Amino acid sequence: MQTSQKHKSSAGIHGFYHQPQEIDPYGLSHIQILDNNVFSDVCSQGTTVSFQNYKEEYFTLESSSATGGFVAYDSPAASVSSNRSPFSPQGSHSCLSDPHHSPDNTYGSPMSGSSSADDDNLLMRQKLKELEFLLLGSESEITKNCDFCFHQADRLASWDWNQMVEMIPRLDMKQMLLVCAQCISDADIPRAAGLMHVLEQMVSVSGEPVQRLGAYMLEGLRARVELSGSKIYRALKCDAPLSSDLMTYMGILFKICPYWKFAYTAANVVIREAVEYEPIIHIIDFQIAQGTQWMFLIRSLADRPGGPPSVRITGVDDPQSAHARGGGLHIVGQKLSCFAESCNVPFEFYDAAMSGCEVQLEHLRVQPGEALVVNFPYVLHHMPDESVNTWNHRDRLLRLVKSLSPKVVTLIEQESNTNTKPFLPRFKETLEYYNAMFESIDAGASRDDKQRINAEQHCVARDIVNMIACEGADRVERHELFGKWRLRFSMAGFTQYPLTSTVASAVRDLLREYDRKYGLQEKDGALYLWWMNTAMSTFSAWR
């Protein structure tokens, strides 16, 4: 694995969530590692990170080829905070520029500035000794656990920093992350801190997919140690440009990856078939976002033989998603109403501005004589289940929907298993799954594309931090494999809706627009979207 020389991320990333902690369960306040206090002051120049006004001020992360670090600036854009999947608006909050990362100092220095070369040498030797003690341990342990290239630990104290960083490109990023997670799982925080510092020199938001992923996995590990994960998840926002001619960050991913189009295409084909002869259709969308999916369906229904049906849509969405639209759900209703009118399709829109966990029967405005359709696009995994609290909103919501006797229910979810796994297995699952996702994103945009960098930072990082750093009710990213979803739906009284060949054909036609490494598999009555050897998403239908 070759470390990127052009754009280096560093401790500057850490600035986007650092908050003073009132609780110090691991005794971090007295650990002096490399930067004298790597957890309270991540920049070696002594810059202190503070985001006391994060509720009012939002920042975006930008990669700067001039500095090799980040530029922090006030974002002029509206913010999005919603329980989205990685394929929806997610966000990074902010970051500090890293003053010691420059073209002349690609990897950065672990040392504070000094007026004396002798002092510099003394500090360097001290810090390398600390690194040897905290990071390396015995030579046999290094070889066994980390596959390190530091085979002679007793020589480390005599190296200068430039000699040491020459070893970094030979380290395996994924193995380093796993060993660091293992240390945190074992409460070996001093060694984890040393590993984190080395990882800082390896990650890059504009590097290879694993380097970019490593930046956000590292943030998750730091947040877990600092017990700041839930605060980060609430604070991080996804910025949507106010100008109508600019794509939102979600829109960037929508364009370069097929995940959302996979969901829209498969669901719309099934819905169109299920309501083929129905005069009145009521669609309940539990994550309507900006309503893009239904423009495709309305256009399709407009051409139906015998004339279009009357269409009613109830849009459910967390009120905080208003940032993505520049306003409330009424904006979605206005847009869809205008579009339906242009297609001569009778249309009504109702909004339910609330989390799916809050939805009750009276919010859905179901009426007799209508064909009911329910859509769950990458949203059910946000509902807490029996492992979180006794309310078990995940299963409660499914039973509520079944009681409405819908014509069809469409389900799209990530094919990942992070719901009930303990920290370390969940970290490994997250690492493998998101490594595939970052590789797939890489295939759709150039590596130095600033828009792509922004999309990853704003729409993926938040999920990763939440899955790694949070537990209990604070962890809202709780994915399950299709087998578990099938069991849940069956227990709620559903049976699978058979998928016709038309559904798979429509998705295959869609995938022709993307990299050949995407694939489609029909299995267990569902459609699996693959990236190379990793199943990324599943689509299924129920009744």
Side-chain angles (χ1 to χ4, degrees):
M1 194 282 296
Q2 294 298 316
T3 306
S4 170
Q5 296 278 343
K6 183 177 180 181
H7 296 283
K8 291 300 300 178
S9 106
S10 73
I13 301 177
H14 179 47
F16 87 109
Y17 68 78
H18 185 80
Q19 294 286 340
Q21 299 296 306
E22 296 179 0
I23 303 174
D24 187 24
Y26 297 110
L28 297 177
S29 59
H30 66 272
I31 297 177
Q32 301 295 313
I33 304 173
L34 301 171
D35 284 337
N36 294 330
N37 192 340
V38 74
F39 291 103
S40 66
D41 183 10
V42 296
C43 294
S44 65
Q45 298 294 330
T47 304
T48 300
V49 181
S50 178
F51 291 101
Q52 296 177 353
N53 298 322
Y54 67 82
K55 291 183 180 179
E56 291 79 28
E57 248 178 12
Y58 303 107
F59 298 83
T60 56
L61 296 174
E62 291 272 346
S63 175
S64 170
S65 58
T67 65
F70 299 115
V71 178
Y73 58 91
D74 291 332
S75 171
S79 297
V80 173
S81 176
S82 62
N83 290 335
R84 294 275 185 251
S85 75
F87 312 124
S88 309
Q90 294 294 353
S92 295
H93 176 52
S94 62
C95 122
L96 287 185
S97 58
D98 190 353
H100 66 265
H101 276 223
S102 68
D104 297 328
N105 188 9
T106 305
Y107 288 103
S109 168
M111 300 170 53
S112 302
S114 173
S115 59
S116 165
D118 291 338
D119 290 344
D120 283 347
N121 290 333
L122 178 61
L123 284 173
M124 179 271 293
R125 286 178 178 273
Q126 290 175 340
K127 292 171 189 254
L128 288 177
K129 286 180 181 179
E130 290 170 353
L131 178 64
E132 176 185 1
F133 175 75
L134 296 171
L135 171 62
L136 297 182
S138 68
E139 183 175 349
S140 61
E141 187 175 358
I142 297 163
T143 304
K144 176 181 177 182
N145 292 336
C146 304
D147 195 25
F148 278 177
C149 297
F150 299 114
H151 293 306
Q152 295 181 346
D154 58 342
R155 295 175 54 194
L156 181 59
S158 65
W159 294 350
D160 62 26
W161 181 249
N162 289 332
Q163 288 176 312
M164 180 179 171
V165 297
E166 287 177 1
M167 299 294 101
I168 289 177
R170 306 179 195 176
L171 304 180
D172 183 270
M173 175 79 74
K174 292 170 68 174
Q175 185 66 29
M176 286 282 290
L177 287 166
L178 288 171
V179 174
C180 188
Q182 179 71 64
C183 290
I184 292 175
S185 179
D186 295 340
D188 188 352
I189 305 305
R191 180 163 297 187
L195 285 162
M196 287 178 190
H197 191 80
V198 175
L199 280 164
E200 286 172 1
Q201 319 307 316
M202 301 173 66
V203 300
S204 169
V205 296
S206 59
E208 299 173 5
V210 71
Q211 291 177 291
R212 306 198 309 265
L213 171 61
Y216 309 123
M217 299 290 285
L218 177 58
E219 293 314 294
L221 291 173
R222 287 193 186 279
R224 185 176 184 88
V225 170
E226 297 185 359
L227 302 181
S228 58
S230 60
K231 183 179 294 185
I232 301 168
Y233 191 79
R234 290 192 298 269
L236 296 186
K237 307 291 179 180
C238 181
D239 295 332
L242 292 177
S243 176
S244 60
D245 60 353
L246 294 177
M247 298 175 81
T248 64
Y249 297 128
M250 177 186 172
I252 296 167
L253 294 183
F254 183 88
K255 178 181 178 181
I256 66 179
C257 299
Y259 301 117
W260 273 98
K261 289 183 180 178
F262 165 69
Y264 291 174
T265 300
N268 282 353
V269 172
V270 169
I271 293 169
R272 171 70 188 265
E273 292 177 344
V275 299
E276 185 174 5
Y277 303 108
E278 299 292 341
I280 303 175
I281 302 168
H282 182 187
I283 299 169
I284 301 174
D285 188 348
F286 274 87
Q287 185 169 274
I288 195 165
Q290 298 189 44
T292 305
Q293 175 178 356
W294 308 121
M295 298 176 73
F296 294 105
L297 182 64
I298 289 171
R299 180 179 294 152
S300 173
L301 293 173
D303 300 328
R304 196 172 78 172
S310 295
V311 177
R312 299 175 61 232
I313 294 180
T314 296
V316 180
D317 216 352
D318 192 310
Q320 292 183 2
S321 296
H323 295 293
R325 297 178 288 266
L329 280 170
H330 68 279
I331 294 178
V332 179
Q334 291 171 355
K335 180 177 72 172
L336 291 176
S337 295
C338 290
F339 185 81
E341 183 178 0
S342 70
C343 296
N344 296 315
V345 174
F347 182 81
E348 294 178 77
F349 182 83
Y350 299 104
D351 65 83
M354 63 187 67
S355 163
C357 296
E358 301 173 278
V359 169
Q360 301 293 334
L361 177 61
E362 57 269 22
H363 300 131
L364 301 178
R365 305 189 184 189
V366 177
Q367 298 179 3
E370 60 188 15
L372 186 65
V373 172
V374 177
N375 189 46
F376 288 118
Y378 296 120
V379 67
L380 269 181
H381 70 271
H382 289 131
M383 310 300 167
D385 69 351
E386 67 280 358
S387 68
V388 181
N389 59 51
T390 57
W391 285 99
N392 191 359
H393 290 290
R394 190 170 298 195
D395 291 345
R396 178 195 68 82
L397 194 58
L398 291 181
R399 291 192 298 270
L400 171 61
V401 169
K402 179 58 181 176
S403 72
L404 303 177
S405 301
K407 292 284 290 187
V408 68
V409 176
T410 53
L411 172 70
I412 305 93
E413 280 293 344
Q414 293 168 243
E415 185 66 1
S416 181
N417 185 14
T418 62
N419 183 21
T420 57
K421 278 189 173 182
F423 165 66
L424 191 58
R426 186 171 75 245
F427 183 89
K428 294 177 181 178
E429 177 88 5
T430 302
L431 178 60
E432 293 302 324
Y433 180 88
Y434 281 90
N435 186 59
M437 180 183 291
F438 274 74
E439 288 179 350
S440 72
I441 294 174
D442 205 53
S446 62
R447 191 157 293 175
D448 59 352
D449 186 335
K450 186 174 292 187
Q451 291 281 60
R452 191 271 306 154
I453 294 170
N454 280 337
E456 288 177 346
Q457 291 171 334
H458 290 265
C459 302
V460 184
R462 186 175 187 237
D463 286 2
I464 292 172
V465 170
N466 184 257
M467 280 183 282
I468 294 173
C470 297
E471 299 293 347
D474 288 330
R475 181 159 61 85
V476 301
E477 300 298 329
R478 295 177 167 273
H479 306 103
E480 293 184 320
L481 301 175
F482 174 69
K484 187 60 180 291
W485 289 117
R486 183 171 56 183
L487 179 60
R488 287 191 186 277
F489 271 75
S490 297
M491 291 177 62
F494 288 94
T495 58
Q496 279 191 259
Y497 189 98
L499 303 181
T500 67
S501 59
T502 306
V503 184
S505 296
V507 174
R508 288 193 175 95
D509 288 342
L510 166 69
L511 293 182
R512 290 192 180 98
E513 304 173 13
Y514 296 91
D515 193 280
R516 293 182 178 180
K517 293 176 183 178
Y518 287 105
L520 186 69
Q521 180 186 24
E522 300 177 62
K523 185 176 71 171
D524 300 327
L527 296 181
Y528 287 70
L529 177 63
W530 288 73
W531 168 259
M532 298 182 66
N533 298 320
T534 303
M536 302 300 293
S537 300
T538 58
F539 171 82
S540 58
W542 304 83
R543 60 185 176 189

